[in-house]
Amino acid sequence: LLEYIKLLPSSENLGTSLPTVTGMLKRMIRDHLITKNKNNEIFLTEYGKISAKEQTKRFRLAGKIIQETLKIVDRAYILH
């Protein structure tokens, strides 16, 4: 994976450094979120899939809460 990341053109703009990505992947392996095979391909574990679904739900909920809050603030602004 690291060799693949190194080959990515700068236009891909990962927005982070290679050591940061490496550290993140190591933590994800440690936390049993991902696994790596002998070809260095990375896969989500079952636990990783469940965690990803939960994170997606939380992200969507947070987005809806923000949207609703902004609507309330916008209506209050219009009334004043």
Side-chain angles (χ1 to χ4, degrees), residues 39-78:
N39 296 324
N40 285 327
E41 296 172 315
I42 295 175
F43 300 94
L44 283 172
T45 62
E46 286 304 312
Y47 177 69
K49 290 175 185 177
I50 292 167
S51 181
K53 286 180 184 177
E54 288 300 315
Q55 292 296 326
T56 300
K57 286 179 190 176
R58 289 183 194 146
F59 180 78
R60 288 182 180 155
L61 178 60
K64 288 181 181 182
I65 290 170
I66 290 170
Q67 284 178 339
E68 291 302 314
T69 301
L70 290 175
K71 285 179 187 176
I72 292 169
V73 169
D74 189 41
R75 277 182 256 177
Y77 178 77
I78 291 171

Side-chain angles (χ1 to χ4, degrees), residues 1 25 28-38 40-46 48:
L1 177 66
L25 292 173
M28 291 176 78
I29 290 170
R30 179 198 68 206
D31 295 344
H32 307 288
L33 296 169
I34 61 174
T35 187
K36 184 170 68 163
N37 67 15
K38 60 185 172 191
N40 285 327
E41 296 172 315
I42 295 175
F43 300 94
L44 283 172
T45 62
E46 286 304 312

